Amino acid sequence: MDDERVRGRLAALFLGGCVAFGYPVLAAFNVTGTVFGLPVLYVYVFGAWMALIALVAAIVRRRD
Amino acid sequence: MLHGWVIVVASAAYLGLLFAVAWYADRRADAGRSVIASPWVYALSLGVYATSWTFYGSVGRAAETGIGFLPVYLGPTLVAVLWVVVVGRMRRIAHAHRITSIADFIGARYGKSASLAALVTVIAVVGLVPYISLQLKAVSTSFTLLTAYPDIVMPRDARAGGVLGDTALYVALLLAAFAILFGARHLDAAERHEGMVAAIALESVVKLAAFIAVGVFVAYGLFDGLADIAARAAADPRTRELLAPVEGPGGSYAGFAWLTVLSMAAILFLPRQFQVAVVENVDERHLRAASWLFPLYLLAINVFVLPIALGGLLHFPSGTVDADTFVLALPMAERQQALALAVFIGGLSAATGMVIVETVALSTMVTNDIAVPLALRFGRLRDGGATASTLLAIRRGAIIVIVLLGYAYFRFAGEAYALVAMGLISFAAVAQFAPAMLGGLYWRHGTRAGAATGLCAGFAVWLYTLLLPSFARSGWLPAGFVEHGPFGIAALKPYALFGVGGLDTITHAMMWSMLANVGCYVAVSLAGRPDAATRAQARRFVDEQDVAASPARPALPLAALEALLARFLGAVRAREAMRAPAAGLLEHAEAQLAGAIGSASARVMVGSVVKDEALGRDEVMSLLDETSQAIAYGRALEQKSAELEAATRELTAANERLKELDAMKDDFVSTVSHELRTPLTSIRAFAEILADQPELAPEKRARFIAIILKETERLARLINQILDLAKIESGRAEWHVEALDLAQVVSDALASGGALAAERGVRIEAQPVAGPVVVRADPDRLMQVLLNLVGNAVKFSPAGTGQVTVRVGVRDGLARVEVTDNGPGIAPDHHALIFEKFRQVGDTLTDRPQGTGLGLPIARRIVRQLGGDLGVTSRPGAGATFWFTLPLDAREAEAGDTRAKEEAWPSAS
Amino acid sequence: MAKRILIADDEPNIVASLEFLMEQAGYEVKAVADGNEALAAVASFRPDLVLLDVMMPGRSGYEVCEKLKGDAATRGVKVVMLSAKGRDVEVAKGIDLGADAYVTKPFSTRELAAKVREMLGE
């Protein structure tokens, strides 16, 4: 996997992360209520966080 | 049971363990078997980002603002996505230029400016004091709290006890001692502290384990799981708000965002982070793993923060227990002694890690960028008075002073703040490095003046909007300063400059300081032009050009040069060579070396040694600690000599190959001369005989004369062929390649060769072919090949009954010619032999053919040159078929006539 | 009794010239074209002198010379090496192996005849 593509994907993921934790999206999840008994906001933030980590791991993992 | 001394002993044991790990790792590093050469260790060492702030403070913050504690970890997560790119570049540049700190980096980038580096150091030291202070506060508070077990008593104002009774002071001194033990035992030119890194990695594991232990305890011990906590929190009016804050998480969305941005700067520019992420990195490949391992660590250590906070709020009556202490207070309240001790150790671990790494990084900056230049300016060092021990003493002194500054801040201002708030003040300070650093990496037009102005402006705003007010909050400055502005000027209110109020202090400070910093940096940079040095550095940093160059010290090319000479000439000769006058030293060295490895190689070697030590402009820095420089160069020399050895081996191998080729050439020449002399010998011998014996019998005369003539012809043929072969092989033959009909050439050749055939009584038969077979070839050369093959076939066919058949056609998409004879055939082991120069096959005295042994090799060479191949099919007693192929002329192939000719081709023999 | 000369060379024309020359000089001549045959011929023909070409199939002239000079029975046979290689190193090699003389081709027939006479003590 060549560097250019990896960098591009990382940049895109970075921007995606900024959006995911930014005002509009965060506000959308800032509601009372629970998912599996846990507060929505909490679940969303940690869920998005884990997803971000998994995506980074996938991108930087070389096929060697 | 948890007496003070138990805690102290446990702490000492833990710190002792950390030290043992560090010592072991240092030993392994010296032996060359580094313990930290693992991406896991690297990623865990980044965990030093999580300090007492994370351990205690996050819970405190969560208790006030819900999920508002989190941006501090989201920022680093987002930066981690780009870790490989950004930190990768920083790392490459830092290692290439032997940069060992942020101050070094910024100073180096803008033209190796010592003053800029000093400015950065000052900002770093001042800015980090609150952060160190918070560690001291956390440890001393948790210690005091724990020793009051089983009661939970919030520690009184520590100032009440006077300085000497203050636990925090002892904690400070202890941490300073450990910082020295871990990071300033000796000088390392590359500022590598493998032991420290190993200890930090372990420490990250310990604090993670401790925190998760508490988290699990609270969630499943005190409550019935996370959902239970959530449900109860939702039911309780105190905590309901925290689950989905109306104003947005953390009180405001803007604040949340700014905090994220702030922590993005922190993860890169905190001196301790720069140290572990860039300076201590041993392998660039570790960066990849870190980009997901590190955020994973942060996530793991933060999962239980909100549950613990909510748990604490629900468990303790409001106002009785400071939220910052929930992590410790909850196990204590439930009489979990072991867990409480473990938590304390975890918190201690977090604080220790931070203080050690941060003070080591800061003291490096202070030593290298402030103390030494100052001492030089005042003449002390110039006389060579600087020794490793002096520098080490300065380093250690700096550590102690910095920690004590942290303690001082703690006494003056620490009480008024929650832990997190103190940390954020430091974050805002290091954020001031962002424009100069990021601009340095990605923008070519930054000037030294621009960076300096930006840094000053940003720092000034920070001082005014954050640091000074913190003293006011603790009563050391009049409170009116904050509330009404200095001298009552409302517009200059530190928390609401120019009327922009309503923001939390950090956001407000960040906004203004960044405005000032970036504004000045960009404006001043654009107003001027970067000077030559800055431009050169910009090329190296932004474009990563010429990354191998490093700032250097004038004296040292000599040492490297001598070592280079010693490698090849031996130490004695090397020393002699170095005694040459300085002016011609390089030439002399080169000349000496040329004797051993050749002049071109010598020039390259000497050039590379000299180029690496490109003379720097900074004479002040050039007198910097020669001891540690010598260490660094020793290492560089080792690497160089390894490279040189590899180069020598390559050169020797190349030499061997050349000798082989030379030998082959010699062989060829001697074989040729042998071949030429052989007919000459007969010619001379018989000529002499004829001359000396005029009365020789006529038939003998005739015979001898005939031999002379034949040998003369043979000689001439040989000479022609050798020249031909030489011309073809050296590429100097002229080739007139044109499209021609192979069938036509074949029949022409047969016409010429027919005479010889008739003489021997050998029949030649040419098989007819349907239509022209067009190839691209040189007609004369092709004729030469055919004549050779046909001639051979005739010569080897039995006289009288000989039959030579020639076929032309197309097979497998190639033009093909076959010449078959019914002679004795050629044994398979000889098939390769006959194509060797001067080799002939056949019993020498009886059927020695009148050939030169060169015909076939030349023929094959010609055919191969034309893009085809030539070979033989034969068995002894069954005749021989010599065949060759040539590529068809492209147009011919397209025309599709090949099909017809393929069908005309008889089945292969 | 006529001296016997063995000619060992794989070039028929050279052999022819040497044969003529030696017979003219009154020696009894035998010719072989191969190194192994040469050794066999020394045993059977018992020559007084061998004209030995270096480049021969079977065994090279050097090997033959070494063998002859190494064996007490044949050490007395004079060996004259003939070779198209005239480099010093080759000549030295020949002499080292015990050759009594080393002549480079093309040679002068007169000189060769004189040398043979000299070596056979006439």
Side-chain angles (χ1 to χ4, degrees):
Chain A
M1 240 198 183
D2 63 310
D3 281 333
E4 279 299 320
R5 284 171 65 201
V6 170
R7 269 191 272 158
R9 290 186 188 192
L10 290 177
L13 187 59
F14 175 79
L15 291 173
C18 293
V19 169
F21 296 118
Y23 167 65
V25 178
L26 221 48
F29 284 93
N30 191 11
V31 294
T32 43
T34 63
V35 175
F36 302 121
L38 304 174
V40 171
L41 189 59
Y42 185 82
V43 171
Y44 166 69
V45 169
F46 277 85
W49 197 352
M50 272 197 284
L52 192 66
I53 293 174
L55 284 172
V56 175
I59 293 178
V60 297
R61 199 143 268 193
R62 285 250 187 94
R63 269 172 289 151
D64 52 11
Chain B
M1 201 84 79
L2 276 178
H3 301 302
W5 65 267
V6 172
I7 304 174
V8 170
V9 166
S11 310
Y14 172 69
L15 290 172
L17 171 68
L18 275 187
F19 183 69
V21 167
W23 187 78
Y24 174 69
D26 268 332
R27 280 283 294 269
R28 285 277 295 261
D30 288 336
R33 283 156 39 237
S34 169
V35 151
I36 70 172
S38 150
W40 289 85
V41 173
Y42 175 69
L44 282 172
S45 73
L46 294 175
V48 76
Y49 181 72
T51 68
S52 314
W53 170 342
T54 309
F55 207 80
Y56 293 113
S58 285
V59 171
R61 183 85 165 184
E64 277 176 51
T65 64
I67 213 154
F69 73 94
L70 208 50
V72 170
Y73 307 97
L74 294 178
T77 302
L78 289 171
V79 170
V81 174
L82 300 175
W83 203 254
V84 180
V85 179
V86 177
V87 178
R89 175 178 284 206
M90 283 164 64
R91 185 221 181 257
R92 276 193 299 278
I93 293 172
H95 282 245
H97 294 80
R98 286 206 296 278
I99 286 170
T100 54
S101 69
I102 293 228
D104 244 1
F105 198 98
I106 295 182
R109 167 61 178 83
Y110 296 100
K112 302 185 195 169
S113 157
S115 51
L116 202 54
L119 176 62
V120 171
T121 307
V122 168
I123 297 178
V125 170
V126 174
L128 278 158
V129 164
Y131 209 157
I132 293 177
S133 174
L134 101 80
Q135 310 303 322
L136 300 177
K137 175 169 178 169
V139 174
S140 69
T141 304
S142 57
F143 182 78
T144 315
L145 182 63
L146 198 57
T147 45
Y149 183 88
D151 301 323
I152 299 181
V153 179
M154 288 297 108
R156 290 286 135 243
D157 189 344
R159 286 179 283 177
V163 171
L164 288 179
D166 193 349
T167 328
L169 176 63
Y170 296 106
V171 172
L173 293 173
L174 184 70
L175 291 180
F178 266 93
I180 292 176
L181 271 179
F182 279 87
R185 282 202 307 280
H186 49 68
L187 283 183
D188 179 299
E191 290 308 324
R192 287 280 191 76
H193 308 89
E194 295 219 357
M196 186 177 76
V197 172
I200 295 300
L202 175 63
E203 181 269 296
S204 290
V205 174
V206 168
K207 66 193 173 205
L208 178 67
F211 198 83
I212 291 187
V214 183
V216 167
F217 166 72
V218 170
Y220 300 99
L222 285 185
F223 297 86
D224 293 319
L226 297 177
D228 181 31
I229 300 180
R232 302 240 228 124
D236 189 322
R238 284 177 301 165
T239 55
R240 189 186 309 144
E241 178 62 16
L242 296 175
L243 296 178
V246 166
E247 293 292 319
S252 78
Y253 287 106
F256 193 90
W258 268 110
L259 216 47
T260 312
V261 170
L262 193 54
S263 54
M264 280 163 58
I267 188 67
L268 289 174
F269 306 130
L270 278 169
R272 71 174 186 277
Q273 296 301 134
F274 188 84
Q275 181 76 22
V276 292
V278 175
V279 177
E280 301 283 352
N281 173 262
V282 293
D283 187 338
E284 199 171 333
R285 287 172 301 181
H286 293 173
L287 299 181
R288 273 193 277 136
S291 55
W292 58 273
L293 275 175
F294 177 54
L296 192 60
Y297 179 89
L298 292 178
L299 185 143
I301 207 168
N302 278 296
V303 170
F304 285 110
V305 168
L306 196 54
I308 295 177
L310 294 172
L313 287 172
L314 292 169
H315 193 87
F316 296 116
S318 55
T320 52
V321 177
D322 187 356
D324 273 348
T325 63
F326 279 172
V327 183
L328 191 54
L330 282 169
M332 282 175 66
E334 295 299 305
R335 303 284 189 264
Q336 299 290 327
Q337 292 185 59
L339 183 60
L341 186 60
V343 167
F344 175 77
I345 299 287
L348 176 69
S349 192
T352 319
M354 183 277 182
V355 171
I356 289 176
V357 186
E358 202 77 77
T359 52
V360 164
L362 284 173
S363 68
T364 306
M365 286 198 259
V366 167
T367 320
N368 294 350
D369 302 301
I370 294 187
V372 170
L374 271 182
L376 281 173
R377 186 151 303 158
F378 294 117
R380 290 276 190 75
L381 281 179
R382 205 174 297 248
D383 313 320
T387 58
S389 54
T390 319
L391 290 167
L392 203 52
I394 298 178
R395 182 78 65 90
R396 292 175 179 167
I399 290 180
I400 296 176
V401 166
I402 291 171
V403 176
L404 286 178
L405 276 176
Y407 174 69
Y409 184 83
F410 166 64
R411 283 202 73 90
F412 287 132
E415 283 313 310
Y417 280 95
L419 291 177
V420 172
M422 290 161 78
L424 287 175
I425 295 178
S426 290
F427 269 26
V430 294
Q432 304 309 317
F433 298 143
M437 286 277 291
L438 294 175
L441 283 174
Y442 295 107
W443 193 44
R444 251 174 245 102
H445 301 290
T447 65
R448 184 182 319 163
T453 342
L455 281 170
C456 286
F459 184 54
V461 173
W462 174 82
L463 273 175
Y464 188 73
T465 56
L466 280 180
L467 196 66
L468 251 42
S470 69
F471 290 117
R473 291 256 283 257
S474 315
W476 287 91
L477 284 177
F481 170 60
V482 173
E483 279 157 32
H484 308 297
F487 317 116
I489 305 176
L492 291 179
K493 274 198 277 191
Y495 285 146
L497 278 180
F498 307 116
V500 180
L503 298 169
D504 68 281
T505 58
I506 298 294
T507 312
H508 173 264
M510 273 302 293
M511 202 186 75
W512 285 112
S513 63
M514 276 299 124
L515 197 62
N517 192 333
V518 176
C520 288
Y521 176 59
V522 172
V524 174
S525 292
L526 289 178
R529 269 187 85 234
D531 61 23
T534 312
R535 273 206 307 279
Q537 292 298 86
R539 269 203 303 280
R540 296 203 182 102
F541 279 53
V542 179
D543 303 324
E544 288 197 67
Q545 268 179 35
D546 195 19
V547 172
S550 53
R553 333 293 159 179
L556 281 165
L558 293 175
L561 203 57
E562 183 169 342
L564 171 61
L565 289 174
R567 261 262 88 104
F568 291 102
L569 307 175
V572 175
R573 272 187 69 190
R575 203 158 304 139
E576 273 177 32
M578 296 301 289
R579 286 206 207 103
L585 179 59
L586 279 183
E587 283 76 14
H588 183 69
E590 214 176 283
Q592 292 291 311
L593 206 53
I597 61 176
S599 61
S601 307
R603 176 159 311 156
V604 169
M605 296 293 178
V606 170
S608 81
V609 166
V610 168
K611 193 158 48 98
D612 245 8
E613 333 302 347
L615 301 181
R617 293 164 19 128
D618 216 342
E619 299 89 18
V620 169
M621 296 319 229
S622 77
L623 292 177
L624 196 75
D625 49 326
E626 282 187 19
T627 322
S628 53
Q629 275 303 325
I631 301 173
Y633 272 90
R635 219 172 280 151
L637 280 177
E638 270 175 40
Q639 192 196 1
K640 269 237 151 23
S641 51
E643 288 171 21
L644 287 174
E645 276 185 284
T648 335
R649 264 178 280 142
E650 274 186 46
L651 282 170
T652 328
N655 205 25
E656 290 297 326
R657 281 196 295 273
L658 279 172
K659 279 199 271 195
E660 271 173 54
L661 287 172
D662 205 35
M664 274 167 59
K665 186 205 72 187
D666 272 345
D667 266 348
F668 181 66
V669 165
S670 74
T671 314
V672 165
S673 87
H674 178 273
E675 293 295 316
L676 290 176
R677 284 186 212 220
T678 304
L680 270 177
T681 309
S682 311
I683 293 172
R684 180 178 184 172
F686 284 118
E688 279 187 11
I689 291 175
L690 285 173
D692 285 348
Q693 309 196 15
E695 69 286 348
L696 202 56
E699 63 279 8
K700 277 232 162 75
R701 275 187 90 79
R703 185 175 149 228
F704 291 170
I705 289 177
I707 292 179
I708 290 177
L709 290 175
K710 241 206 180 106
E711 291 294 284
T712 312
E713 275 172 40
R714 176 174 160 198
L715 189 58
R717 237 192 346 257
L718 197 61
I719 291 175
N720 284 333
Q721 284 193 320
I722 289 173
L723 288 176
D724 206 20
L725 191 60
K727 260 172 63 180
I728 295 179
E729 291 209 336
S730 73
R732 273 185 273 131
E734 288 173 7
W735 295 83
H736 303 286
V737 173
E738 60 195 47
L740 45 80
D741 176 14
L742 192 53
Q744 182 64 41
V745 178
V746 166
S747 59
D748 288 344
L750 291 179
S752 314
L756 176 62
E759 206 179 274
R760 275 181 67 91
V762 171
R763 223 162 59 86
I764 302 188
E765 184 189 311
Q767 296 220 335
V769 66
V773 179
V774 184
V775 298
R776 294 192 67 80
D778 179 317
D780 294 329
R781 294 291 182 190
L782 200 53
M783 181 71 79
Q784 189 178 353
V785 170
L786 282 164
L787 285 175
N788 175 269
L789 291 181
V790 170
N792 280 347
V794 167
K795 271 184 262 174
F796 278 90
S797 296
T801 56
Q803 165 96 9
V804 172
T805 319
V806 181
R807 278 182 281 252
V808 185
V810 176
R811 195 162 89 175
D812 300 332
L814 294 170
R816 189 182 175 94
V817 172
E818 287 185 3
V819 176
T820 313
D821 66 74
N822 59 349
I826 307 169
D829 1 329
H830 291 155
H831 283 190
L833 217 56
I834 55 180
F835 290 105
E836 285 184 33
K837 302 186 186 70
F838 302 122
R839 295 292 212 140
Q840 289 170 306
V841 172
D843 189 5
T844 47
L845 264 186
T846 52
D847 16 282
R848 185 170 190 120
Q850 288 298 307
T852 54
L854 284 179
L856 273 176
I858 293 182
R860 180 144 83 163
R861 202 70 179 71
I862 291 174
V863 168
R864 283 190 172 162
Q865 186 82 14
L866 294 171
D869 200 5
L870 188 150
V872 63
T873 320
S874 173
R875 274 191 337 273
T881 299
F882 279 83
W883 56 265
F884 71 88
T885 56
L886 285 173
L888 288 168
D889 190 22
R891 277 171 281 133
E892 161 94 341
E894 280 170 24
D897 279 359
T898 53
R899 182 76 66 83
K901 286 194 264 311
E902 290 214 38
E903 285 167 1
W905 190 264
S907 52
S909 51
Chain C
M1 217 201 13
K3 301 280 184 173
R4 286 191 288 272
I5 312 268
L6 176 66
I7 303 176
D9 194 317
D10 59 340
E11 268 287 326
N13 286 332
I14 296 181
V15 168
S17 63
L18 286 172
E19 255 183 334
F20 181 83
L21 223 55
M22 294 296 113
E23 278 173 352
Q24 271 270 311
Y27 302 117
E28 205 180 314
V29 175
K30 182 171 166 67
V32 294
D34 168 302
N36 290 318
E37 282 184 36
L39 286 172
V42 168
S44 63
F45 180 63
R46 316 209 123 272
D48 300 288
L49 183 143
V50 178
L51 291 171
L52 191 54
D53 182 28
V54 164
M55 303 279 283
M56 280 193 293
R59 280 182 206 246
S60 79
Y62 289 126
E63 285 179 56
V64 174
C65 178
E66 205 176 348
K67 258 253 137 93
L68 290 179
K69 291 298 177 182
D71 188 352
T74 52
R75 200 171 293 150
V77 179
K78 301 276 189 262
V79 173
V80 178
M81 303 206 74
L82 305 169
S83 176
K85 296 193 181 179
R87 289 158 79 202
D88 292 335
V89 68
E90 311 290 340
V91 177
K93 185 173 172 186
I95 303 298
D96 277 345
L97 287 171
D100 300 280
Y102 190 105
V103 176
T104 52
K105 301 179 191 172
F107 47 77
S108 156
T109 49
R110 302 176 197 113
E111 284 179 22
L112 184 64
K115 191 159 274 188
V116 169
R117 263 202 306 278
E118 180 193 324
M119 294 187 78
L120 289 178
E122 295 162 2

